[in-house]
Amino acid sequence: MKDKTTEYISDAEMHRQREYIDKIHAEVERAGRVPLAFVETYGCQQNTSDSEKIKGMLADMGFDFCDKPDDADFILYNTCAVRENAELRVFGNLGALKNIKRRRENIIIAVCGCMMQQEHIAKRIKAKYKHVDLVFGTHALYRFPQLLDSVMAGGRIFDVENGDGAVFEDISYKRDGIPLAKIPIMYGCNNFCTYCIVPYVRGRERSRSADRILSEVKDVASKGYREVMLLGQNVNSYGNDLESGLNFPQLLREVCRVDGIERVRFMTSHPKDISDELISVMASEKKICNQLHLPVQSGSDRVLKLMNRKYTAEQYLNIVKKVKEAIPDIVLTTDIIVGFPGETNEDFEETVKILKTMEYDTIFSFIFSKREGTPAAKMEDCLTDEEKHKNFDRMLEVQNEISRRKNEAYKGTVQKVLIEGTSKTNEEAMTGRTEGGKVVNFKGGCCSVGQMVDVKITDARTWSLIGEVVKQNLTN
């Protein structure tokens, strides 16, 4: 039942934050030197979007940006709490910054994001990482200008209050480059999967108004972005918390009506909330990419119940069957957790079975990482670490064969590729993605970022395709 409208940070409060931005900008101008900021982001696309907001605020304050902490006057790590490896990397990097702080005591070191919404993490940083000047959580993001001003005045600030957090708008972005713009349509999550920390660190679901989302889509289109990715922890439940407005399929149709946008993607979809209406819209709207990320997490009904996923393997298979019938060329990807507490080797075999049945193009797979504060953190394991790693390696072996075989099927075909930049592995080649999200590396010639080109696929790798330009789209 729709019970309320989304709470927004007031215009007066956002005006107040703008005054802090202007104050810092004036101080930068008086100093006569452009300060440099280094921002590193961990985790999901939502974190990336948050970092784009932070960089937008920094740019408005007069900062420029650098690629190395050693060159920076301001260092910020935007953290992820979903997996232990990300947390360990953050602590390792923070420890390494002690020497920089020792050499340049005026440098400001900050940490934000989901990790900081966990009380034990914030306390650890406050006690053991004295060189960190600023810590703030996801709910304090809009107050970043005020917090930074306090630090610049000589304070050490920790702002990690809990709460669902109101949505804030009308802030500058410094987005990643053309052609893809990431646009959040909602924040938080109501699902409370037993392994997941997100509802605790990002709060309950809050949907942005459709008008504000569409305004942002039109804005990025006017700036030359040709592709948008709509972001939410569970985009399928967009609008459920609003008293009136569009649901997610209806929002997708409106986004497709925006001139200049040629591709529309979204993530992530929870299987229990995929509707026939959404499948129909995906099939009928040409701008919506033939790509669906649909996390299954496990192929075992027993484990899915322990995870509180609210669907069975059979229900999941039936959803995918509907999708494939409506969109035969769909590129399907998923998330899988190996070694969830209570999972047996027999349960794992059910996951291997679903891998072989689904034939995903790509999977994002992880060995279970215990998150303090979640129900799964108190559950007991059935498998040893050795067994978990053995199962994980076997799963990758199965999936790699599937991914390679599916990519081989692209050889000889011509794919429309939206160019994203220079290949990371070959400076003489360009890279881009097909409609289905497949990475394609090819000799660029006179091509440039943001162009749509026809590329003939000449070779395939497990994770990417190789090709050559046939012709450039005449609309470029």
Side-chain angles (χ1 to χ4, degrees), residues 50 54 57 74 76-79 110-117 122 132-145 147-148 157-161:
D50 286 349
I54 292 170
M57 289 185 263
F74 173 79
L76 180 136
Y77 292 122
N78 187 0
T79 63
V111 195
C112 70
C114 294
M115 271 178 69
M116 302 307 108
Q117 287 295 154
V132 174
D133 305 289
L134 172 59
V135 172
F136 60 101
T138 57
H139 305 320
L141 182 61
Y142 75 94
R143 288 197 296 272
F144 171 61
L147 302 177
L148 181 57
I157 304 299
F158 284 71
D159 191 336
V160 291
E161 292 182 6

PDB file of all heavy atoms in Angstrom, residues 50 54 57 74 76-79 110-117 122 132-145 147-148 157-161:
ATOM      1  N   ASP A  50      26.776   8.559  -6.065  1.00  0.00           N
ATOM      2  CA  ASP A  50      27.013   9.425  -4.908  1.00  0.00           C
ATOM      3  C   ASP A  50      28.336  10.177  -5.056  1.00  0.00           C
ATOM      4  O   ASP A  50      28.427  11.367  -4.721  1.00  0.00           O
ATOM      5  CB  ASP A  50      27.036   8.603  -3.623  1.00  0.00           C
ATOM      6  CG  ASP A  50      25.656   8.133  -3.193  1.00  0.00           C
ATOM      7  OD1 ASP A  50      24.657   8.614  -3.762  1.00  0.00           O
ATOM      8  OD2 ASP A  50      25.576   7.272  -2.292  1.00  0.00           O
ATOM      9  N   ILE A  54      29.368  14.213  -4.966  1.00  0.00           N
ATOM     10  CA  ILE A  54      30.425  14.795  -4.139  1.00  0.00           C
ATOM     11  C   ILE A  54      31.418  15.558  -5.006  1.00  0.00           C
ATOM     12  O   ILE A  54      31.828  16.686  -4.672  1.00  0.00           O
ATOM     13  CB  ILE A  54      31.130  13.690  -3.324  1.00  0.00           C
ATOM     14  CG1 ILE A  54      30.172  13.115  -2.276  1.00  0.00           C
ATOM     15  CG2 ILE A  54      32.395  14.228  -2.658  1.00  0.00           C
ATOM     16  CD1 ILE A  54      30.691  11.870  -1.589  1.00  0.00           C
ATOM     17  N   MET A  57      30.009  18.877  -6.029  1.00  0.00           N
ATOM     18  CA  MET A  57      30.111  19.877  -4.976  1.00  0.00           C
ATOM     19  C   MET A  57      31.540  20.394  -4.849  1.00  0.00           C
ATOM     20  O   MET A  57      31.772  21.597  -4.681  1.00  0.00           O
ATOM     21  CB  MET A  57      29.613  19.291  -3.649  1.00  0.00           C
ATOM     22  CG  MET A  57      28.104  19.073  -3.595  1.00  0.00           C
ATOM     23  SD  MET A  57      27.518  18.507  -1.956  1.00  0.00           S
ATOM     24  CE  MET A  57      27.416  16.739  -2.224  1.00  0.00           C
ATOM     25  N   PHE A  74      42.853  17.067  -0.815  1.00  0.00           N
ATOM     26  CA  PHE A  74      41.681  16.459  -0.183  1.00  0.00           C
ATOM     27  C   PHE A  74      41.547  15.042  -0.718  1.00  0.00           C
ATOM     28  O   PHE A  74      41.519  14.821  -1.937  1.00  0.00           O
ATOM     29  CB  PHE A  74      40.421  17.273  -0.503  1.00  0.00           C
ATOM     30  CG  PHE A  74      39.142  16.629  -0.021  1.00  0.00           C
ATOM     31  CD1 PHE A  74      38.760  16.718   1.309  1.00  0.00           C
ATOM     32  CD2 PHE A  74      38.317  15.932  -0.895  1.00  0.00           C
ATOM     33  CE1 PHE A  74      37.581  16.120   1.754  1.00  0.00           C
ATOM     34  CE2 PHE A  74      37.142  15.336  -0.465  1.00  0.00           C
ATOM     35  CZ  PHE A  74      36.783  15.434   0.875  1.00  0.00           C
ATOM     36  N   LEU A  76      39.269  11.452  -0.445  1.00  0.00           N
ATOM     37  CA  LEU A  76      38.021  10.860   0.047  1.00  0.00           C
ATOM     38  C   LEU A  76      37.856   9.448  -0.492  1.00  0.00           C
ATOM     39  O   LEU A  76      38.011   9.207  -1.689  1.00  0.00           O
ATOM     40  CB  LEU A  76      36.818  11.707  -0.354  1.00  0.00           C
ATOM     41  CG  LEU A  76      35.461  11.149   0.133  1.00  0.00           C
ATOM     42  CD1 LEU A  76      34.589  12.265   0.691  1.00  0.00           C
ATOM     43  CD2 LEU A  76      34.715  10.437  -0.992  1.00  0.00           C
ATOM     44  N   TYR A  77      37.529   8.524   0.411  1.00  0.00           N
ATOM     45  CA  TYR A  77      37.149   7.168   0.036  1.00  0.00           C
ATOM     46  C   TYR A  77      35.652   7.011   0.280  1.00  0.00           C
ATOM     47  O   TYR A  77      35.175   7.200   1.403  1.00  0.00           O
ATOM     48  CB  TYR A  77      37.919   6.123   0.838  1.00  0.00           C
ATOM     49  CG  TYR A  77      39.395   6.076   0.517  1.00  0.00           C
ATOM     50  CD1 TYR A  77      40.350   6.279   1.505  1.00  0.00           C
ATOM     51  CD2 TYR A  77      39.836   5.833  -0.779  1.00  0.00           C
ATOM     52  CE1 TYR A  77      41.701   6.240   1.216  1.00  0.00           C
ATOM     53  CE2 TYR A  77      41.186   5.794  -1.082  1.00  0.00           C
ATOM     54  CZ  TYR A  77      42.121   5.998  -0.087  1.00  0.00           C
ATOM     55  OH  TYR A  77      43.451   5.962  -0.384  1.00  0.00           O
ATOM     56  N   ASN A  78      34.908   6.684  -0.783  1.00  0.00           N
ATOM     57  CA  ASN A  78      33.476   6.404  -0.681  1.00  0.00           C
ATOM     58  C   ASN A  78      33.324   4.892  -0.601  1.00  0.00           C
ATOM     59  O   ASN A  78      33.587   4.182  -1.567  1.00  0.00           O
ATOM     60  CB  ASN A  78      32.739   6.977  -1.893  1.00  0.00           C
ATOM     61  CG  ASN A  78      31.241   6.859  -1.752  1.00  0.00           C
ATOM     62  OD1 ASN A  78      30.727   6.348  -0.763  1.00  0.00           O
ATOM     63  ND2 ASN A  78      30.514   7.322  -2.752  1.00  0.00           N
ATOM     64  N   THR A  79      32.888   4.393   0.535  1.00  0.00           N
ATOM     65  CA  THR A  79      33.063   2.983   0.867  1.00  0.00           C
ATOM     66  C   THR A  79      31.835   2.128   0.636  1.00  0.00           C
ATOM     67  O   THR A  79      30.707   2.614   0.583  1.00  0.00           O
ATOM     68  CB  THR A  79      33.468   2.852   2.350  1.00  0.00           C
ATOM     69  OG1 THR A  79      32.390   3.346   3.166  1.00  0.00           O
ATOM     70  CG2 THR A  79      34.730   3.642   2.631  1.00  0.00           C
ATOM     71  N   ALA A 110      39.126  12.107   4.240  1.00  0.00           N
ATOM     72  CA  ALA A 110      37.714  11.866   4.544  1.00  0.00           C
ATOM     73  C   ALA A 110      37.300  10.469   4.103  1.00  0.00           C
ATOM     74  O   ALA A 110      37.856   9.912   3.145  1.00  0.00           O
ATOM     75  CB  ALA A 110      36.840  12.906   3.848  1.00  0.00           C
ATOM     76  N   VAL A 111      36.333   9.914   4.813  1.00  0.00           N
ATOM     77  CA  VAL A 111      35.740   8.621   4.464  1.00  0.00           C
ATOM     78  C   VAL A 111      34.227   8.755   4.569  1.00  0.00           C
ATOM     79  O   VAL A 111      33.710   9.326   5.528  1.00  0.00           O
ATOM     80  CB  VAL A 111      36.206   7.490   5.400  1.00  0.00           C
ATOM     81  CG1 VAL A 111      35.875   6.129   4.786  1.00  0.00           C
ATOM     82  CG2 VAL A 111      37.675   7.589   5.712  1.00  0.00           C
ATOM     83  N   CYS A 112      33.518   8.234   3.564  1.00  0.00           N
ATOM     84  CA  CYS A 112      32.059   8.312   3.595  1.00  0.00           C
ATOM     85  C   CYS A 112      31.478   7.004   3.075  1.00  0.00           C
ATOM     86  O   CYS A 112      32.196   6.043   2.815  1.00  0.00           O
ATOM     87  CB  CYS A 112      31.558   9.499   2.753  1.00  0.00           C
ATOM     88  SG  CYS A 112      31.774   9.302   0.967  1.00  0.00           S
ATOM     89  N   GLY A 113      30.156   6.949   2.953  1.00  0.00           N
ATOM     90  CA  GLY A 113      29.515   5.801   2.330  1.00  0.00           C
ATOM     91  C   GLY A 113      28.964   4.786   3.312  1.00  0.00           C
ATOM     92  O   GLY A 113      28.859   5.025   4.523  1.00  0.00           O
ATOM     93  N   CYS A 114      28.633   3.623   2.771  1.00  0.00           N
ATOM     94  CA  CYS A 114      27.880   2.618   3.530  1.00  0.00           C
ATOM     95  C   CYS A 114      28.639   2.081   4.741  1.00  0.00           C
ATOM     96  O   CYS A 114      28.036   1.811   5.785  1.00  0.00           O
ATOM     97  CB  CYS A 114      27.491   1.467   2.607  1.00  0.00           C
ATOM     98  SG  CYS A 114      26.316   1.928   1.310  1.00  0.00           S
ATOM     99  N   MET A 115      29.954   1.900   4.623  1.00  0.00           N
ATOM    100  CA  MET A 115      30.713   1.409   5.772  1.00  0.00           C
ATOM    101  C   MET A 115      30.537   2.316   6.979  1.00  0.00           C
ATOM    102  O   MET A 115      30.482   1.851   8.122  1.00  0.00           O
ATOM    103  CB  MET A 115      32.205   1.324   5.427  1.00  0.00           C
ATOM    104  CG  MET A 115      32.657   0.024   4.821  1.00  0.00           C
ATOM    105  SD  MET A 115      34.425   0.076   4.394  1.00  0.00           S
ATOM    106  CE  MET A 115      35.172   0.125   6.030  1.00  0.00           C
ATOM    107  N   MET A 116      30.422   3.612   6.720  1.00  0.00           N
ATOM    108  CA  MET A 116      30.382   4.576   7.822  1.00  0.00           C
ATOM    109  C   MET A 116      29.043   4.576   8.543  1.00  0.00           C
ATOM    110  O   MET A 116      28.910   5.148   9.616  1.00  0.00           O
ATOM    111  CB  MET A 116      30.701   5.977   7.311  1.00  0.00           C
ATOM    112  CG  MET A 116      32.053   6.093   6.625  1.00  0.00           C
ATOM    113  SD  MET A 116      33.411   5.467   7.642  1.00  0.00           S
ATOM    114  CE  MET A 116      33.819   3.935   6.790  1.00  0.00           C
ATOM    115  N   GLN A 117      28.024   3.946   7.954  1.00  0.00           N
ATOM    116  CA  GLN A 117      26.727   3.828   8.631  1.00  0.00           C
ATOM    117  C   GLN A 117      26.710   2.666   9.619  1.00  0.00           C
ATOM    118  O   GLN A 117      25.718   2.452  10.309  1.00  0.00           O
ATOM    119  CB  GLN A 117      25.608   3.649   7.612  1.00  0.00           C
ATOM    120  CG  GLN A 117      25.267   4.886   6.826  1.00  0.00           C
ATOM    121  CD  GLN A 117      24.697   6.024   7.658  1.00  0.00           C
ATOM    122  OE1 GLN A 117      24.821   7.190   7.294  1.00  0.00           O
ATOM    123  NE2 GLN A 117      24.062   5.711   8.775  1.00  0.00           N
ATOM    124  N   ALA A 122      32.654   3.049  12.268  1.00  0.00           N
ATOM    125  CA  ALA A 122      32.926   4.451  12.584  1.00  0.00           C
ATOM    126  C   ALA A 122      33.742   4.574  13.880  1.00  0.00           C
ATOM    127  O   ALA A 122      34.675   5.392  13.967  1.00  0.00           O
ATOM    128  CB  ALA A 122      31.621   5.227  12.691  1.00  0.00           C
ATOM    129  N   VAL A 132      42.443  10.607  10.109  1.00  0.00           N
ATOM    130  CA  VAL A 132      41.230  10.829   9.316  1.00  0.00           C
ATOM    131  C   VAL A 132      40.466  12.001   9.921  1.00  0.00           C
ATOM    132  O   VAL A 132      40.139  12.002  11.108  1.00  0.00           O
ATOM    133  CB  VAL A 132      40.353   9.565   9.280  1.00  0.00           C
ATOM    134  CG1 VAL A 132      39.031   9.855   8.574  1.00  0.00           C
ATOM    135  CG2 VAL A 132      41.092   8.434   8.574  1.00  0.00           C
ATOM    136  N   ASP A 133      40.171  12.996   9.092  1.00  0.00           N
ATOM    137  CA  ASP A 133      39.565  14.241   9.575  1.00  0.00           C
ATOM    138  C   ASP A 133      38.037  14.251   9.515  1.00  0.00           C
ATOM    139  O   ASP A 133      37.388  14.932  10.308  1.00  0.00           O
ATOM    140  CB  ASP A 133      40.074  15.420   8.729  1.00  0.00           C
ATOM    141  CG  ASP A 133      41.574  15.505   8.713  1.00  0.00           C
ATOM    142  OD1 ASP A 133      42.147  15.865   9.755  1.00  0.00           O
ATOM    143  OD2 ASP A 133      42.189  15.211   7.657  1.00  0.00           O
ATOM    144  N   LEU A 134      37.478  13.528   8.555  1.00  0.00           N
ATOM    145  CA  LEU A 134      36.033  13.628   8.308  1.00  0.00           C
ATOM    146  C   LEU A 134      35.454  12.256   7.991  1.00  0.00           C
ATOM    147  O   LEU A 134      35.963  11.547   7.116  1.00  0.00           O
ATOM    148  CB  LEU A 134      35.770  14.583   7.132  1.00  0.00           C
ATOM    149  CG  LEU A 134      34.339  14.673   6.588  1.00  0.00           C
ATOM    150  CD1 LEU A 134      33.368  15.119   7.667  1.00  0.00           C
ATOM    151  CD2 LEU A 134      34.289  15.615   5.392  1.00  0.00           C
ATOM    152  N   VAL A 135      34.413  11.885   8.706  1.00  0.00           N
ATOM    153  CA  VAL A 135      33.679  10.642   8.455  1.00  0.00           C
ATOM    154  C   VAL A 135      32.195  10.977   8.405  1.00  0.00           C
ATOM    155  O   VAL A 135      31.661  11.609   9.317  1.00  0.00           O
ATOM    156  CB  VAL A 135      33.944   9.598   9.568  1.00  0.00           C
ATOM    157  CG1 VAL A 135      33.033   8.399   9.392  1.00  0.00           C
ATOM    158  CG2 VAL A 135      35.409   9.158   9.556  1.00  0.00           C
ATOM    159  N   PHE A 136      31.535  10.584   7.302  1.00  0.00           N
ATOM    160  CA  PHE A 136      30.091  10.808   7.235  1.00  0.00           C
ATOM    161  C   PHE A 136      29.418   9.672   6.487  1.00  0.00           C
ATOM    162  O   PHE A 136      30.009   9.039   5.607  1.00  0.00           O
ATOM    163  CB  PHE A 136      29.751  12.169   6.605  1.00  0.00           C
ATOM    164  CG  PHE A 136      30.235  12.374   5.191  1.00  0.00           C
ATOM    165  CD1 PHE A 136      29.372  12.242   4.117  1.00  0.00           C
ATOM    166  CD2 PHE A 136      31.546  12.739   4.936  1.00  0.00           C
ATOM    167  CE1 PHE A 136      29.797  12.455   2.811  1.00  0.00           C
ATOM    168  CE2 PHE A 136      31.993  12.965   3.642  1.00  0.00           C
ATOM    169  CZ  PHE A 136      31.113  12.819   2.578  1.00  0.00           C
ATOM    170  N   GLY A 137      28.169   9.405   6.871  1.00  0.00           N
ATOM    171  CA  GLY A 137      27.429   8.293   6.303  1.00  0.00           C
ATOM    172  C   GLY A 137      26.580   8.697   5.115  1.00  0.00           C
ATOM    173  O   GLY A 137      26.580   9.854   4.676  1.00  0.00           O
ATOM    174  N   THR A 138      25.850   7.748   4.595  1.00  0.00           N
ATOM    175  CA  THR A 138      25.040   7.981   3.398  1.00  0.00           C
ATOM    176  C   THR A 138      23.951   9.014   3.636  1.00  0.00           C
ATOM    177  O   THR A 138      23.562   9.741   2.715  1.00  0.00           O
ATOM    178  CB  THR A 138      24.389   6.671   2.929  1.00  0.00           C
ATOM    179  OG1 THR A 138      23.598   6.124   4.000  1.00  0.00           O
ATOM    180  CG2 THR A 138      25.444   5.639   2.542  1.00  0.00           C
ATOM    181  N   HIS A 139      23.445   9.100   4.867  1.00  0.00           N
ATOM    182  CA  HIS A 139      22.340  10.014   5.151  1.00  0.00           C
ATOM    183  C   HIS A 139      22.798  11.459   5.335  1.00  0.00           C
ATOM    184  O   HIS A 139      21.965  12.365   5.377  1.00  0.00           O
ATOM    185  CB  HIS A 139      21.590   9.559   6.400  1.00  0.00           C
ATOM    186  CG  HIS A 139      21.104   8.144   6.325  1.00  0.00           C
ATOM    187  ND1 HIS A 139      20.575   7.608   5.167  1.00  0.00           N
ATOM    188  CD2 HIS A 139      21.091   7.149   7.253  1.00  0.00           C
ATOM    189  CE1 HIS A 139      20.239   6.337   5.401  1.00  0.00           C
ATOM    190  NE2 HIS A 139      20.549   6.041   6.640  1.00  0.00           N
ATOM    191  N   ALA A 140      24.110  11.657   5.441  1.00  0.00           N
ATOM    192  CA  ALA A 140      24.650  13.008   5.631  1.00  0.00           C
ATOM    193  C   ALA A 140      25.269  13.565   4.351  1.00  0.00           C
ATOM    194  O   ALA A 140      25.885  14.628   4.387  1.00  0.00           O
ATOM    195  CB  ALA A 140      25.698  12.998   6.747  1.00  0.00           C
ATOM    196  N   LEU A 141      25.079  12.881   3.243  1.00  0.00           N
ATOM    197  CA  LEU A 141      25.743  13.280   1.998  1.00  0.00           C
ATOM    198  C   LEU A 141      25.427  14.725   1.620  1.00  0.00           C
ATOM    199  O   LEU A 141      26.307  15.477   1.196  1.00  0.00           O
ATOM    200  CB  LEU A 141      25.322  12.336   0.870  1.00  0.00           C
ATOM    201  CG  LEU A 141      25.951  12.578  -0.500  1.00  0.00           C
ATOM    202  CD1 LEU A 141      27.464  12.437  -0.432  1.00  0.00           C
ATOM    203  CD2 LEU A 141      25.387  11.588  -1.520  1.00  0.00           C
ATOM    204  N   TYR A 142      24.184  15.126   1.788  1.00  0.00           N
ATOM    205  CA  TYR A 142      23.799  16.477   1.380  1.00  0.00           C
ATOM    206  C   TYR A 142      24.480  17.541   2.236  1.00  0.00           C
ATOM    207  O   TYR A 142      24.610  18.704   1.834  1.00  0.00           O
ATOM    208  CB  TYR A 142      22.271  16.647   1.435  1.00  0.00           C
ATOM    209  CG  TYR A 142      21.701  16.794   2.824  1.00  0.00           C
ATOM    210  CD1 TYR A 142      21.476  18.058   3.376  1.00  0.00           C
ATOM    211  CD2 TYR A 142      21.395  15.677   3.598  1.00  0.00           C
ATOM    212  CE1 TYR A 142      20.965  18.196   4.653  1.00  0.00           C
ATOM    213  CE2 TYR A 142      20.879  15.815   4.869  1.00  0.00           C
ATOM    214  CZ  TYR A 142      20.660  17.069   5.402  1.00  0.00           C
ATOM    215  OH  TYR A 142      20.159  17.208   6.664  1.00  0.00           O
ATOM    216  N   ARG A 143      24.952  17.163   3.444  1.00  0.00           N
ATOM    217  CA  ARG A 143      25.616  18.106   4.342  1.00  0.00           C
ATOM    218  C   ARG A 143      27.118  18.185   4.116  1.00  0.00           C
ATOM    219  O   ARG A 143      27.839  18.840   4.879  1.00  0.00           O
ATOM    220  CB  ARG A 143      25.355  17.723   5.811  1.00  0.00           C
ATOM    221  CG  ARG A 143      23.953  17.992   6.289  1.00  0.00           C
ATOM    222  CD  ARG A 143      23.878  17.986   7.820  1.00  0.00           C
ATOM    223  NE  ARG A 143      24.184  16.682   8.375  1.00  0.00           N
ATOM    224  CZ  ARG A 143      23.295  15.719   8.573  1.00  0.00           C
ATOM    225  NH1 ARG A 143      22.032  15.896   8.223  1.00  0.00           N
ATOM    226  NH2 ARG A 143      23.658  14.561   9.098  1.00  0.00           N
ATOM    227  N   PHE A 144      27.611  17.552   3.084  1.00  0.00           N
ATOM    228  CA  PHE A 144      29.053  17.525   2.838  1.00  0.00           C
ATOM    229  C   PHE A 144      29.678  18.920   2.830  1.00  0.00           C
ATOM    230  O   PHE A 144      30.745  19.120   3.446  1.00  0.00           O
ATOM    231  CB  PHE A 144      29.347  16.782   1.527  1.00  0.00           C
ATOM    232  CG  PHE A 144      30.775  16.886   1.084  1.00  0.00           C
ATOM    233  CD1 PHE A 144      31.808  16.388   1.871  1.00  0.00           C
ATOM    234  CD2 PHE A 144      31.097  17.498  -0.120  1.00  0.00           C
ATOM    235  CE1 PHE A 144      33.128  16.497   1.461  1.00  0.00           C
ATOM    236  CE2 PHE A 144      32.414  17.607  -0.536  1.00  0.00           C
ATOM    237  CZ  PHE A 144      33.435  17.111   0.258  1.00  0.00           C
ATOM    238  N   PRO A 145      29.100  19.929   2.163  1.00  0.00           N
ATOM    239  CA  PRO A 145      29.736  21.262   2.192  1.00  0.00           C
ATOM    240  C   PRO A 145      29.901  21.811   3.611  1.00  0.00           C
ATOM    241  O   PRO A 145      30.959  22.359   3.959  1.00  0.00           O
ATOM    242  CB  PRO A 145      28.770  22.123   1.365  1.00  0.00           C
ATOM    243  CG  PRO A 145      28.098  21.157   0.456  1.00  0.00           C
ATOM    244  CD  PRO A 145      27.921  19.918   1.287  1.00  0.00           C
ATOM    245  N   LEU A 147      30.058  20.070   6.423  1.00  0.00           N
ATOM    246  CA  LEU A 147      31.016  19.241   7.149  1.00  0.00           C
ATOM    247  C   LEU A 147      32.437  19.591   6.748  1.00  0.00           C
ATOM    248  O   LEU A 147      33.334  19.687   7.607  1.00  0.00           O
ATOM    249  CB  LEU A 147      30.738  17.761   6.882  1.00  0.00           C
ATOM    250  CG  LEU A 147      29.340  17.253   7.257  1.00  0.00           C
ATOM    251  CD1 LEU A 147      29.187  15.788   6.866  1.00  0.00           C
ATOM    252  CD2 LEU A 147      29.070  17.454   8.741  1.00  0.00           C
ATOM    253  N   LEU A 148      32.669  19.785   5.453  1.00  0.00           N
ATOM    254  CA  LEU A 148      34.010  20.127   4.989  1.00  0.00           C
ATOM    255  C   LEU A 148      34.430  21.495   5.522  1.00  0.00           C
ATOM    256  O   LEU A 148      35.587  21.690   5.911  1.00  0.00           O
ATOM    257  CB  LEU A 148      34.059  20.115   3.463  1.00  0.00           C
ATOM    258  CG  LEU A 148      35.422  20.431   2.837  1.00  0.00           C
ATOM    259  CD1 LEU A 148      36.496  19.460   3.337  1.00  0.00           C
ATOM    260  CD2 LEU A 148      35.338  20.396   1.311  1.00  0.00           C
ATOM    261  N   ILE A 157      35.395  15.795  12.311  1.00  0.00           N
ATOM    262  CA  ILE A 157      33.946  15.641  12.251  1.00  0.00           C
ATOM    263  C   ILE A 157      33.552  14.195  11.962  1.00  0.00           C
ATOM    264  O   ILE A 157      34.068  13.562  11.041  1.00  0.00           O
ATOM    265  CB  ILE A 157      33.351  16.563  11.160  1.00  0.00           C
ATOM    266  CG1 ILE A 157      33.755  18.015  11.407  1.00  0.00           C
ATOM    267  CG2 ILE A 157      31.838  16.414  11.115  1.00  0.00           C
ATOM    268  CD1 ILE A 157      33.281  18.590  12.724  1.00  0.00           C
ATOM    269  N   PHE A 158      32.581  13.694  12.755  1.00  0.00           N
ATOM    270  CA  PHE A 158      31.961  12.397  12.526  1.00  0.00           C
ATOM    271  C   PHE A 158      30.455  12.618  12.467  1.00  0.00           C
ATOM    272  O   PHE A 158      29.853  13.057  13.447  1.00  0.00           O
ATOM    273  CB  PHE A 158      32.307  11.405  13.640  1.00  0.00           C
ATOM    274  CG  PHE A 158      33.691  10.850  13.545  1.00  0.00           C
ATOM    275  CD1 PHE A 158      34.791  11.638  13.812  1.00  0.00           C
ATOM    276  CD2 PHE A 158      33.896   9.536  13.148  1.00  0.00           C
ATOM    277  CE1 PHE A 158      36.084  11.129  13.713  1.00  0.00           C
ATOM    278  CE2 PHE A 158      35.183   9.015  13.040  1.00  0.00           C
ATOM    279  CZ  PHE A 158      36.275   9.819  13.325  1.00  0.00           C
ATOM    280  N   ASP A 159      29.838  12.325  11.310  1.00  0.00           N
ATOM    281  CA  ASP A 159      28.394  12.496  11.138  1.00  0.00           C
ATOM    282  C   ASP A 159      27.841  11.213  10.551  1.00  0.00           C
ATOM    283  O   ASP A 159      27.805  11.024   9.336  1.00  0.00           O
ATOM    284  CB  ASP A 159      28.114  13.685  10.216  1.00  0.00           C
ATOM    285  CG  ASP A 159      26.632  14.072  10.217  1.00  0.00           C
ATOM    286  OD1 ASP A 159      25.800  13.206  10.518  1.00  0.00           O
ATOM    287  OD2 ASP A 159      26.325  15.228   9.892  1.00  0.00           O
ATOM    288  N   VAL A 160      27.436  10.295  11.430  1.00  0.00           N
ATOM    289  CA  VAL A 160      27.008   8.960  10.991  1.00  0.00           C
ATOM    290  C   VAL A 160      25.669   8.584  11.610  1.00  0.00           C
ATOM    291  O   VAL A 160      25.430   7.432  11.965  1.00  0.00           O
ATOM    292  CB  VAL A 160      28.074   7.894  11.317  1.00  0.00           C
ATOM    293  CG1 VAL A 160      29.312   8.086  10.459  1.00  0.00           C
ATOM    294  CG2 VAL A 160      28.459   7.937  12.808  1.00  0.00           C
ATOM    295  N   GLU A 161      24.791   9.558  11.733  1.00  0.00           N
ATOM    296  CA  GLU A 161      23.476   9.283  12.308  1.00  0.00           C
ATOM    297  C   GLU A 161      22.703   8.290  11.451  1.00  0.00           C
ATOM    298  O   GLU A 161      22.797   8.305  10.223  1.00  0.00           O
ATOM    299  CB  GLU A 161      22.678  10.584  12.434  1.00  0.00           C
ATOM    300  CG  GLU A 161      23.235  11.552  13.466  1.00  0.00           C
ATOM    301  CD  GLU A 161      22.375  12.795  13.577  1.00  0.00           C
ATOM    302  OE1 GLU A 161      21.304  12.830  12.946  1.00  0.00           O
ATOM    303  OE2 GLU A 161      22.787  13.730  14.283  1.00  0.00           O
TER     304      GLU A 161
END
